[in-house]
Amino acid sequence: MIRMSIAQRIYLGFGVVVAIAIALAAMGIGSAGQARDNARRFRELNDRTFAILELGTEVAELQRSVQLFASTGHESLATDAKQRITALTARFDTAEAIEADADSINLVERMRTSLKNYQGSLETAVDERRVRYELVHTQIPKLDARLEAILKGQTSVTGDSRWAQIRTSSRLIRSNLYQYLYEPDYALLTDSMELTQRMDALAETDQERAFVGLLEDYSRTFTRIVQATRGYLYLVGVVMAGEAWEFTHLSERLRSVALADVPEIVDGMETLADSVRRRTLVGAGLALAAALVLSWLVARSISGPLTEVSHTLDRLAKGEHVAQVPGVDRGDEVGVMAAAADAFRRANERTESLLDKSRELGLEVQASRRDLERSNQELEQFVYTVSHDLKTPLVTSLGFIGMMREMAAAGQLERAISKLDVLERSNRRMSRLIAELLDLSRVGRLDTEREDIDSGAAVGSVVEDLSSRLEGAGCRVIIDAELPRVRMNPTRFRQVLENLLTNAIKYGKPKEGPFEVRIVAREAGPERATLCVIDRGQGIPPAHHERVFGLFNRLTVEGEGTGLGLAIVQRVMETSGGTVGLESSGDGNGCTFVLEFERSG
Amino acid sequence: MATGVRSSSSLNEVADRAPQRHVLLVEDNDEHAELVEFMMEQTHPDLVLERFGEAEPALRRLKEGSPTPRLILLDLKLPGISGLDLLAAIKSEPSLRSTPAVMLTTSNSARDRACAFENHANAYLVKPMDFLEFKARVEATLRFWLDHADGL
């Protein structure tokens, strides 16, 4: 699935669903065929049962015809029955449908035999009926006529009691026999036989014997009629009825044999219907589930990565930094898209890094321009300040020279000469300014070699050198016993201390109390060493702390400072890897200048 | 060269027309102040020079004290509040606006000049000053103000 394209995935998904649908259809077709087979079998069975039922009906009809024939004796009915038998036989010959299995074949064979027997019996019955008919309608009338003829010839012999007896008996016998035809009472027959025998014994004349002989024929014919009647009645009523019953019974059995398959077929059809319904349900469920699962899988495999890629593109478009575009290693269309997005991202990153670089360069340029501007400004300020401060003593000198000339011209020589001091002081100041400016310009260039200095000893030496000025000012310097070793150029160290002490002499005198300046150490961590120069003078308000380290920035007009001392201190400390700070509230609590050095190893 | 500076007639004229005799000088440098005092003494002996070393007390005196000076002489570079700021403060004060102010400075830079005139300075003198020029400037400024004070 990973290496398949989206199109292939969609095709596969639909393919699976379509395959399931085709399988379902095939199953339906198969089941329909089976159902059709079942229906055909059912229909055959139905036909068979119907045919068998028809056979039964036919036989019943036949039996009815035969019964009618037996009771009426109409030949047409016999013919009808025969025709029915022929038709039945023909039906047996053509109806293979009935002979479905061994059982059926056996039964049909027996039915055929039964029918043949029936036919035979019918033939015999018809014959017997015919015989009876012959006897009743031909023989008996003939005998009657002969008897009547004899009776008519004997009318002359009247009063003969024997003849009269014979004649009366004959009438009785004949009436008995006729009555028997309609009412088969066996007693009538035996009575007639007995009477005839008695007549035979009574007869004496030939005529009488012939008459009695006729009577005997008459009786015999009747007996024959009775026999014939009995014969066909027996055939019709017993033999043929039995055959018919047998036939009906066989057809019943045949029907039950045929119907024995019905439950099986019905069961089969029901089972089939059930299984088809079950399989269709399962198949449809499967197809639905497969369609859902596959579409979900396909959709997820497409939309998820697509969303991720588009989200990433969105982020890229917004200019965000994206480490990795998802889905680059995919083999499908999303992978192609992701690869394109990745190329876009890389190009973006390159552009961004170039932009960053150019921004950095721009910043650098800006910074150096600012530096340049600042140093230009500083230089300008420096030149401005220096020119002013250098001009000041010159202005003083020139002004005083002019003034002295005026005084001299006005004859005030003493007054003019008294101004020479100012002139001299002004020139000296000029000279010191130039020297200090030169010194400031050398800071960071000359005397930069750092050494380990025992700051206690160095401070002591500086204080000793300044002792006459300190004494002149009435100032006492108190030095801590334990001062740290620092790493600095010794000349610069002396310069810094000198400047700070000079500063203290000028500005550190307290309003009352002894004039003392203390030099103490302060804890500053393992790698730094700190010295503090503390005075008890007026101090400097925090607003001016930064300014005091600037060039020519003097806070008072008194004294003779050049305004360069603290600027030199700051420059020296900065170029020596140290710092100088000022702690003062400016309200008479003095100043603390904090010098931080590199601690010597 | 500075010998023929006295012109009492003009001085008297000025003195007659304006009752104020005070001139305020704000200058931190003592020597420079001495020079200005000397020049004023030589050129305008009738005027009283009041000197301040810093801007703050000078401003206080101008705002609270009397009489209002006839002229203010200002050094440009002062400790604390600078001469320019003091000038601006003076000129923003309605009662002092018409008092002429002359800048005295060592700076000859165009920027400082421009700043001074932007803050309504009436004259700008570069040190060291020539007696003749100083006298002429001061007089010209005073006269101009006497002529136009009513209309300002």
Side-chain angles (χ1 to χ4, degrees):
Chain A
M1 200 88 177
I2 297 301
R3 284 285 155 197
M4 283 172 83
S5 75
I6 290 171
Q8 281 170 331
R9 249 174 265 169
I10 291 171
Y11 291 150
L12 178 76
F14 276 101
V16 169
V17 174
V18 166
I20 292 175
I22 287 172
L24 263 181
M27 202 173 70
I29 290 168
S31 305
Q34 225 171 321
R36 202 184 148 78
D37 283 352
N38 276 333
R40 194 170 45 74
R41 275 185 70 197
F42 194 76
R43 189 197 180 90
E44 276 170 16
L45 271 178
N46 208 34
D47 286 352
R48 235 164 100 189
T49 320
F50 190 68
I52 293 160
L53 274 174
E54 259 185 349
L55 280 178
T57 315
E58 293 271 344
V59 170
E61 287 283 319
L62 176 62
Q63 186 68 5
R64 197 174 59 87
S65 294
V66 171
Q67 295 280 3
L68 270 174
F69 169 70
S71 60
T72 61
H74 284 300
E75 278 289 330
S76 64
L77 288 170
T79 317
D80 182 46
K82 277 176 193 168
Q83 276 171 357
R84 283 185 189 277
I85 287 169
T86 316
L88 266 173
T89 314
R91 189 171 288 211
F92 272 117
D93 290 341
T94 53
E96 290 96 353
I98 299 170
E99 303 165 356
D101 47 48
D103 263 3
S104 316
I105 291 167
N106 185 28
L107 283 168
V108 166
E109 196 52 45
R110 280 171 66 186
M111 282 168 88
R112 230 183 241 150
T113 315
S114 176
L115 192 63
K116 217 171 272 171
N117 290 344
Y118 191 88
Q119 196 179 10
S121 301
L122 180 63
E123 297 281 344
T124 318
V126 168
D127 283 353
E128 288 296 311
R129 187 82 172 109
R130 231 178 250 150
V131 167
R132 184 181 177 271
Y133 189 85
E134 174 70 20
L135 289 172
V136 170
H137 294 283
T138 314
Q139 294 294 325
I140 295 295
K142 259 185 215 169
L143 284 170
D144 269 343
R146 281 167 72 185
L147 281 172
E148 286 296 327
I150 292 169
L151 280 175
K152 268 173 196 165
Q154 288 293 315
T155 47
S156 56
V157 190
T158 47
D160 187 351
S161 65
R162 213 177 53 236
W163 182 248
Q165 201 176 347
I166 288 168
R167 210 171 49 181
T168 309
S169 295
S170 75
R171 289 192 196 281
L172 188 67
I173 287 165
R174 281 169 68 186
S175 95
N176 273 356
L177 285 174
Y178 271 106
Q179 200 179 345
Y180 179 76
L181 277 182
Y182 297 100
E183 195 182 320
D185 186 355
Y186 201 67
L188 289 170
L189 211 55
T190 43
D191 282 354
S192 296
M193 288 306 205
E194 210 177 304
L195 259 176
T196 309
Q197 276 169 358
R198 258 192 299 169
M199 288 305 112
D200 194 33
L202 206 69
E204 282 174 12
T205 65
D206 288 346
Q207 207 178 7
E208 285 173 352
R209 272 196 281 270
F211 188 78
V212 171
L214 269 177
L215 272 180
E216 279 172 358
D217 279 352
Y218 204 89
S219 290
R220 263 199 305 279
T221 304
F222 261 100
T223 310
R224 181 71 190 94
I225 286 170
V226 167
Q227 276 174 348
T229 304
R230 275 191 188 158
Y232 84 74
L233 279 177
Y234 172 74
L235 280 171
V236 171
V238 178
V239 178
M240 285 171 73
E243 292 293 344
W245 183 84
E246 170 78 3
F247 190 91
T248 309
H249 172 68
L250 286 173
S251 81
E252 283 286 329
R253 276 182 64 188
L254 194 59
R255 203 153 61 93
S256 57
V257 165
L259 287 175
D261 284 348
V262 168
E264 185 202 331
I265 291 170
V266 169
D267 279 357
M269 284 173 85
E270 278 176 358
T271 315
L272 179 68
D274 280 352
S275 90
V276 165
R277 196 178 54 187
R278 207 169 42 240
R279 272 184 288 173
T280 308
L281 268 176
V282 169
L286 259 176
L288 187 66
L292 281 176
V293 167
L294 285 169
S295 13
W296 181 73
L297 277 174
V298 170
R300 197 192 59 165
S301 78
I302 295 166
S303 74
L306 268 181
T307 309
E308 274 179 23
V309 170
S310 62
H311 180 66
T312 309
L313 279 173
D314 219 29
R315 283 176 58 202
L316 280 174
K318 277 182 196 153
E320 281 179 41
H321 180 75
V322 178
Q324 177 70 46
V325 177
V328 177
D329 50 350
R330 295 172 65 94
D332 56 7
E333 291 88 333
V334 176
V336 174
M337 216 167 93
D342 197 43
F344 177 58
R345 175 188 69 82
R346 278 199 300 273
N348 222 24
E349 264 176 20
R350 263 203 304 283
T351 313
E352 240 167 55
S353 80
L354 284 174
L355 270 175
D356 280 351
K357 231 175 258 174
S358 97
R359 216 172 290 141
E360 270 170 36
L361 285 174
L363 285 176
E364 273 173 33
V365 168
Q366 252 179 356
S368 30
R369 204 181 61 203
R370 265 201 304 274
D371 283 351
L372 202 63
E373 273 169 9
R374 199 174 55 229
S375 62
N376 263 348
Q377 267 173 4
E378 275 174 8
L379 190 67
E380 212 173 293
Q381 184 63 33
F382 177 77
V383 169
Y384 178 79
T385 324
V386 166
S387 71
H388 172 266
D389 279 62
L390 283 178
K391 263 185 190 171
T392 305
L394 270 179
V395 165
T396 309
S397 296
L398 286 171
F400 270 81
I401 289 168
M403 186 167 80
M404 285 158 77
R405 211 174 255 152
E406 285 289 315
M407 286 170 174
Q412 302 171 328
L413 273 177
E414 288 292 320
R415 197 179 169 196
I417 287 164
S418 74
K419 300 300 174 190
L420 276 172
D421 286 347
V422 177
L423 205 59
E424 190 187 348
R425 200 164 60 230
S426 177
N427 276 292
R428 277 189 200 289
R429 183 176 163 75
M430 183 79 195
S431 159
R432 198 165 69 240
L433 264 177
I434 288 168
E436 285 191 6
L437 274 174
L438 271 174
D439 193 33
L440 183 66
S441 78
R442 285 186 192 120
V443 173
R445 286 192 293 119
L446 296 180
D447 300 318
T448 55
E449 289 298 310
R450 288 180 218 172
E451 291 170 23
D452 281 359
I453 299 170
D454 177 354
S455 64
V459 168
S461 159
V462 172
V463 169
E464 203 176 310
D465 286 354
L466 289 176
S467 58
S468 61
R469 283 181 67 190
L470 286 165
E471 273 168 29
C475 176
R476 197 163 73 90
V477 180
I478 303 161
I479 307 169
D480 253 16
E482 286 290 324
L483 289 184
R485 293 185 72 82
V486 300
R487 211 174 150 66
M488 192 164 171
N489 181 278
T491 312
R492 295 298 175 195
F493 184 85
R494 286 185 64 89
Q495 189 178 23
V496 167
L497 261 294
E498 256 174 38
N499 284 4
L500 286 180
L501 283 172
T502 308
N503 203 62
I505 290 167
K506 284 181 204 160
Y507 307 110
K509 188 176 168 72
K511 278 189 177 154
E512 48 194 40
F515 187 5
E516 280 175 356
V517 174
R518 293 196 300 129
I519 297 177
V520 300
R522 191 191 270 185
E523 185 52 46
E527 285 170 10
R528 311 294 283 175
T530 303
L531 285 185
C532 298
V533 178
I534 306 164
D535 66 52
R536 305 279 300 150
Q538 179 58 33
I540 301 164
H544 297 312
H545 283 191
E546 210 172 307
R547 275 187 63 219
V548 296
F549 294 106
L551 286 175
F552 304 112
N553 285 330
R554 296 165 64 210
L555 294 182
T556 63
V557 290
E558 292 126 33
E560 52 198 42
T562 56
L564 284 171
L566 289 179
I568 288 172
V569 167
Q570 190 179 45
R571 188 67 70 84
V572 168
M573 289 310 288
E574 277 173 3
T575 56
S576 305
T579 59
V580 58
L582 171 58
E583 295 167 0
S584 175
S585 54
D587 53 4
N589 286 322
C591 281
T592 301
F593 284 92
V594 184
L595 299 169
E596 195 181 293
F597 305 88
E598 224 179 307
R599 187 189 281 275
S600 67
Chain B
M1 99 185 162
T3 44
V5 289
R6 291 185 191 187
S7 168
S8 53
S9 61
S10 64
L11 275 175
N12 287 339
E13 188 190 339
V14 169
D16 291 344
R17 284 172 58 190
Q20 301 105 311
R21 304 204 166 272
H22 283 259
V23 170
L24 202 77
L25 170 65
V26 188
E27 168 66 81
D28 61 325
N29 190 301
D30 292 343
E31 285 97 9
H32 291 190
E34 194 181 339
L35 282 169
V36 172
E37 278 165 15
F38 180 71
M39 283 193 276
M40 286 300 288
E41 177 195 311
Q42 296 294 308
T43 55
H44 301 90
D46 55 324
L47 297 178
V48 182
L49 194 68
E50 274 184 81
R51 185 219 161 181
F52 290 88
E54 284 176 73
E56 264 179 85
L59 190 60
R60 232 178 1 251
R61 147 76 179 84
L62 282 170
K63 280 183 180 172
E64 293 161 9
S66 60
T68 305
R70 187 185 293 182
L71 179 70
I72 302 169
L73 300 170
L74 281 174
D75 186 11
L76 198 65
K77 205 165 190 298
L78 294 169
I81 297 172
S82 78
L84 268 180
D85 291 339
L86 179 61
L87 175 67
I90 290 168
K91 289 298 183 180
S92 65
E93 195 74 22
S95 61
L96 297 169
R97 196 172 292 158
S98 55
T99 307
V102 176
M103 305 307 290
L104 306 173
T105 175
T106 55
S107 169
N108 198 15
S109 85
R111 195 183 64 186
D112 282 341
R113 277 174 189 277
C115 280
F117 286 113
E118 274 168 21
N119 284 291
H120 310 289
N122 301 100
Y124 189 96
L125 288 173
V126 180
K127 302 181 204 170
M129 295 160 291
D130 185 78
F131 272 117
L132 281 177
E133 191 196 353
F134 179 79
K135 184 185 171 212
R137 275 286 185 191
V138 169
E139 240 169 83
T141 308
L142 287 173
R143 192 178 301 119
F144 180 86
W145 240 250
L146 286 173
D147 289 346
H148 295 89
D150 301 336
L152 284 168

